[in-house]
Amino acid sequence: VYLILRIYNNFMENFIIGKLIKELHIALENNFNKFSKKYKLTSSQMDILIFLLHNENKIVNQRNIENFLSLSNPTIAGTLLRLEKKGFIIRKISSKDKRYKEIYLTDKSRELKDIIFKYIRDNDNKMFSNMSEEEKSTTARCLFFVMSIQMK
């Protein structure tokens, strides 16, 4: 509670929205790390699993993940290697292009699907529990607008 009050007071004094967004990101990331650790995963590994679960019916390779998460080849390669060692994914050389490895979920990762998506839904519901649908929609539009400017 003290941290929240300190952040709010600092926000009101300086009215730095970027700082507030950063603090929210840090809080969300910390919570996501705690959740991920329950399954012996890092948040980066969990991000990749979520991407793969969302694209379960598509052929996915490392480049797709790099582009989606805006991360470098070495970063994704290392994370995929660790996921493979833990038994969450399997990588197979593509039959269409030998330069690429296709990435597939294992039963171990599929068993987490409902748990992961429930965590995400519950977290969103908690975060926006005191907002009307209109306020949620306005917040989302504003965040997308700010993101689009920052990504130019």
Side-chain angles (χ1 to χ4, degrees), residues 32 35 46-47 50 53-54 113-128:
F32 194 54
F35 169 74
M46 193 68 86
D47 286 339
I50 290 168
L53 288 165
H54 273 292
K113 183 177 184 172
D114 291 339
I115 295 166
I116 292 168
F117 291 146
K118 181 182 183 321
Y119 168 82
I120 293 168
R121 275 191 311 278
D122 289 351
N123 198 49
D124 277 2
N125 289 338
K126 179 178 141 186
M127 193 169 19
F128 298 109

Side-chain angles (χ1 to χ4, degrees), residues 62-106:
Q62 182 174 325
R63 182 82 40 165
N64 302 131
I65 298 169
E66 291 167 14
N67 291 337
F68 181 77
L69 295 176
S70 300
L71 293 171
S72 69
N73 177 296
T75 299
I76 297 298
T79 306
L80 288 173
L81 180 64
R82 286 184 288 283
L83 281 170
E84 191 170 32
K85 284 181 179 177
K86 292 178 180 183
F88 287 100
I89 63 164
I90 296 170
R91 295 187 287 177
K92 297 179 184 176
I93 295 175
S94 172
S95 59
K96 295 179 183 175
D97 188 337
K98 304 287 184 216
R99 297 173 296 169
Y100 293 105
K101 286 187 179 178
E102 295 170 357
I103 302 160
Y104 297 94
L105 294 166
T106 62

